[in-house]
């Protein structure tokens, strides 16, 4: 999806935050900004405008244009009603979830938004079932009912205490049955939503112009009247635009070198850095259909050689930290199984793993990465991985890359032997760092049965409304992932926003799934 997070008062997803500019106060404004749109820069352009197709950073745009039944007001750590007036489980087994909509909801064109529209929006995700799309989030859903205009009832096929978190994801955006077909994606490139903003104009890969939606009914309180999002190919061009005041702030994609440079900037430069710890992760995926990547000893040997600390220091200049589990530090049940099982990088141990399996070296592998999704360091990261593995004498690595849109299509078709992905949480729970990557239908497009996880551990954890009681299930799930070595975690990110000194609200604008709530941004009216 991508640098999606960023003290903030959010549990796990955003642990702390501080402005690094002395004397730069953060003041609130009682009236929306009237000095033109806030201009936001990012390297993370949407891959689609249809929520039924997206399980990625397209959500950043969706959160601000579409509406969901539940979402996260500033400071919330659990979902609260937005399009809904109230929601809750109606049974003790966490299998029937009911929402009542706010009265008088409409889409931005004035058409009514009712329970039938909500049912249509959820049903079409499962009907269309885009490979690697958000249908995987709805594995516990049996059926949706709309008994009345304002009442929606979700019947689950098993207990799922995380279901409210799923409904709060932008994948569950409410769309109009008149504009969005029930059995195929919308193809005209248009958007009709009911969220805080309307999409006034859109240039794919270049910019999105958002204006306040006066018909919106929800918890968001606009502190500006318009936001323009500009999409950049790399960090350098984005920072140049920030310094020349062509944009007001940056979000995703700041390169490590640019972060360091902005932190140590000239005192005359009117730029602030807002920093926070986050739960974004970066990892490698091994394709089980590739003749080499499907061999567990090959995967284990890679895991034994990869030096995460070197990647964090040399490539990312310590703006990220090494990660030894798919569940990041700060979330319930986090452990360090890859360090526990493999320890420090050791070529000798890797050689022994391959020799005992009778695998001839050097092992040829092709590593794929995307050129325009996770920041400017991605290419350097993969060159460092290639250096580490080839320096061992045990591997021969070919690097290949594609832009995000074609990259997604490639991994969903199973074209890549080994490929890089980043993950920003759909919601701040360890479930969301395990469930999306396992099962026949998952976010990676490569089936990973992991039956013990999918049939036992996840269902058991989802019966627990108190998420502090799921530690044992997720500790075991992490052990299974390290034994299989199908996924290799590399690092956990910190979050950085670069902004002009006259911009306020960035420290409040990140929800727990690290998506920017653009309505919180405004220009300072006093000092």
């Amino acid at each position: 999806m991508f640098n999606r997070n960023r003290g903030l008062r959010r549990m796990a997803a955003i642990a702390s935050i501080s402005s690094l500019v002395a004397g730069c106060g953060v003041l609130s404004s009682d009236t929306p900004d009237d000095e033109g749109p806030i201009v936001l820069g990012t390297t993370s352009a949407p891959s689609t405008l249809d929520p039924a197709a997206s399980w990625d950073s397209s959500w950043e745009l969706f959160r601000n244009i579409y509406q969901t039944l539940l979402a996260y007001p500033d400071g919330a750590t659990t979902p609260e009603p937005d399009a809904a007036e109230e929601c809750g489980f109606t049974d003790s087994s966490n299998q029937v979830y009911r929402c009542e909509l706010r009265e008088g909801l409409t889409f931005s064109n004035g058409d009514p938004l009712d329970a039938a529209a909500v049912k249509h929006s959820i049903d079409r995700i499962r009907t269309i079932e885009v490979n690697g799309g958000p249908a995987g989030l709805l594995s516990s859903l049996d059926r949706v009912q709309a008994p009345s205009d304002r009442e929606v009832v979700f019947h689950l096929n098993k207990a799922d205490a995380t279901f409210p978190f799923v409904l709060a994801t932008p994948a569950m955006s409410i769309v109009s049955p008149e504009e969005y077909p029930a059995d195929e994606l919308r193809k005209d490139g248009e958007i009709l939503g009911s969220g805080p903003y309307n999409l006034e104009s859109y240039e794919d890969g270049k910019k999105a112009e958002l204006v306040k939606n006066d018909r919106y009914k929800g918890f968001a309180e606009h502190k500006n009247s318009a936001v323009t999002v500009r999409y950049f190919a790399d960090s350098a061009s984005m920072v140049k635009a920030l310094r020349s005041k062509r944009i007001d702030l940056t979000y995703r994609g700041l390169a490590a070198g640019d972060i360091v440079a902005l932190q140590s900037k000239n005192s005359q430069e009117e730029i602030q850095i807002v920093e926070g710890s986050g739960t974004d992760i970066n990892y490698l995926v091994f394709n089980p259909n590739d003749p080499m990547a499907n061999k567990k000893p090959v995967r284990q040997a890679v895991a034994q050689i990869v030096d995460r600390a070197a990647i964090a220091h040399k490539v990312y200049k310590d703006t990220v930290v090494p990660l030894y589990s798919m569940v990041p530090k700060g979330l319930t049940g986090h452990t360090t199984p890859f360090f526990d099982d493999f320890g420090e990088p050791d070529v000798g141990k890797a050689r022994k793993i391959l020799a005992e399996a009778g695998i001839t070296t050097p092992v040829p592998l092709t590593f794929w990465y995307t050129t325009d999704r996770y920041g400017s360091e991605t290419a350097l990261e993969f060159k460092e991985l290639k250096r580490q593995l080839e320096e061992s004498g045990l591997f021969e690595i070919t690097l290949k890359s594609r832009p995000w849109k074609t990259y997604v299509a490639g991994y969903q078709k199973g074209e890549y032997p080994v490929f890089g992905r980043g993950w920003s949480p759909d919601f701040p729970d360890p479930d969301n760092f395990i469930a999306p990557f396992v099962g026949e239908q998952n976010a990676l497009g490569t089936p990973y049965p992991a039956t013990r996880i999918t049939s036992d551990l996840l269902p058991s954890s989802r019966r627990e409304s108190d998420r502090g009681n799921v530690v044992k299930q997720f500790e075991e799930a992490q052990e299974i992932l390290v034994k299989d070595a199908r996924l290799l975690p590399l690092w956990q990110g910190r979050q950085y926003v670069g902004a002009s000194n006259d911009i306020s609200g960035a420290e409040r604008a990140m929800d727990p799934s690290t998506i920017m709530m653009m309505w919180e941004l405004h220009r300072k009216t006093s000092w």
Side-chain angles (χ1 to χ4, degrees), residues 267-401:
S267 61
Q268 301 302 311
E269 195 166 32
E270 297 179 351
I271 295 175
Q272 58 180 312
I273 289 287
V274 178
E275 175 186 349
S277 62
T279 51
D280 291 4
I281 68 171
N282 183 273
Y283 58 99
L284 294 177
V285 182
F286 292 87
N287 186 343
N289 296 318
D290 179 78
M292 281 300 175
N294 73 350
K295 300 179 187 295
K296 185 187 289 189
V298 169
R299 303 194 299 265
Q300 291 174 324
V302 173
Q304 186 63 72
I305 291 170
V306 167
D307 188 341
R308 296 167 175 80
I311 293 171
H313 181 67
K314 293 172 61 176
V315 177
Y316 290 95
K317 304 184 188 304
D318 300 315
T319 59
V320 303
V321 295
L323 181 64
Y324 298 93
S325 168
M326 291 299 289
V327 176
K329 185 177 180 180
L331 291 191
T332 300
H334 165 76
T335 59
T336 56
F338 275 91
F339 186 82
D340 299 340
D341 282 24
F342 294 99
E344 297 290 347
D346 191 316
V347 173
K349 289 181 180 179
R351 182 178 291 108
K352 183 178 179 182
I353 291 170
L354 294 172
E356 290 179 348
I359 296 173
T360 303
T361 58
V363 177
L365 283 174
T366 300
F367 280 38
W368 281 82
Y369 63 93
T370 180
T371 56
D372 59 353
R373 173 57 49 169
Y374 304 122
S376 304
E377 290 88 4
T378 303
L380 298 177
E381 176 184 358
F382 275 75
K383 287 178 182 177
E384 174 62 15
L385 286 167
K386 174 182 170 71
R387 184 197 67 77
Q388 291 178 9
L389 292 167
E390 290 191 340
E391 200 171 79
S392 73
L394 302 177
F395 291 92
E396 186 176 87
I397 306 298
T398 300
L399 297 182
K400 292 188 177 182
S401 62

Side-chain angles (χ1 to χ4, degrees), residues 24-341:
C24 181
V26 177
L27 304 177
S28 62
S29 172
D30 294 329
T31 58
D33 194 67
D34 60 359
E35 300 178 33
I38 301 287
V39 184
L40 169 68
T42 177
T43 62
S44 187
S47 63
T48 177
L49 296 181
D50 191 326
S54 172
W55 200 349
D56 63 18
S57 61
S58 303
W59 288 9
E60 292 169 358
L61 189 61
F62 294 174
R63 170 61 75 211
N64 293 277
I65 296 173
Y66 294 109
Q67 197 172 14
T68 47
L69 290 171
L70 302 163
Y72 299 92
D74 175 35
T77 58
T78 56
E80 297 182 16
D82 187 26
E85 187 171 86
E86 60 180 7
C87 290
F89 284 104
T90 63
D91 64 332
S92 59
S93 62
N94 292 340
Q95 287 188 253
V96 180
Y97 195 77
R98 177 186 177 277
C99 290
E100 183 172 341
L101 297 178
R102 292 178 188 265
E103 190 171 0
L105 286 175
T106 69
F107 291 102
S108 59
N109 66 351
D111 290 348
L113 190 166
D114 57 13
V118 177
K119 174 175 166 56
H120 169 83
S121 303
I122 304 300
D123 284 346
R124 70 188 293 268
I125 294 172
R126 298 199 298 170
T127 299
I128 299 169
E129 198 174 4
V130 172
N131 187 26
L137 286 167
L138 295 170
S139 61
S140 65
L141 179 62
D142 179 34
R143 68 190 189 279
V144 187
Q145 290 181 311
S148 67
D149 286 348
R150 292 177 57 199
E151 183 181 12
V152 187
V153 182
F154 301 91
H155 296 271
L156 310 184
N157 52 39
K158 52 197 170 189
D160 188 358
T162 71
F163 190 70
F165 292 92
V166 172
L167 289 179
T169 68
M172 306 301 138
S173 295
I174 304 168
V175 299
S176 168
E178 302 299 319
E179 301 286 340
Y180 292 77
D183 56 359
E184 64 179 0
L185 298 176
R186 185 171 183 171
K187 297 176 181 177
D188 62 3
E190 299 293 324
I191 276 184
L192 176 63
S194 61
Y197 295 94
N198 295 329
L199 184 63
E200 185 171 67
S201 68
Y202 181 74
E203 294 180 55
D204 189 21
K206 294 183 179 180
K207 69 177 179 178
E209 295 183 340
L210 283 62
V211 296
K212 180 183 176 183
N213 175 16
D214 291 326
R215 295 182 183 271
Y216 166 73
K217 289 186 177 182
F219 61 70
E221 297 181 5
H222 292 83
K223 295 181 174 63
N224 62 68
S225 57
V227 174
T228 295
V229 184
R230 290 192 54 199
Y231 301 110
F232 291 86
D234 53 48
S235 175
S237 57
M238 184 167 65
V239 170
K240 184 177 180 180
L242 176 65
R243 284 181 156 142
S244 63
K245 300 184 178 181
R246 288 182 287 120
I247 62 174
D248 295 306
L249 73 162
T250 70
Y251 181 30
R252 299 199 179 281
L254 275 180
D258 288 326
I259 293 169
V260 172
L262 288 172
Q263 287 175 329
S264 58
K265 66 187 182 305
N266 179 318
S267 61
Q268 301 302 311
E269 195 166 32
E270 297 179 351
I271 295 175
Q272 58 180 312
I273 289 287
V274 178
E275 175 186 349
S277 62
T279 51
D280 291 4
I281 68 171
N282 183 273
Y283 58 99
L284 294 177
V285 182
F286 292 87
N287 186 343
N289 296 318
D290 179 78
M292 281 300 175
N294 73 350
K295 300 179 187 295
K296 185 187 289 189
V298 169
R299 303 194 299 265
Q300 291 174 324
V302 173
Q304 186 63 72
I305 291 170
V306 167
D307 188 341
R308 296 167 175 80
I311 293 171
H313 181 67
K314 293 172 61 176
V315 177
Y316 290 95
K317 304 184 188 304
D318 300 315
T319 59
V320 303
V321 295
L323 181 64
Y324 298 93
S325 168
M326 291 299 289
V327 176
K329 185 177 180 180
L331 291 191
T332 300
H334 165 76
T335 59
T336 56
F338 275 91
F339 186 82
D340 299 340
D341 282 24

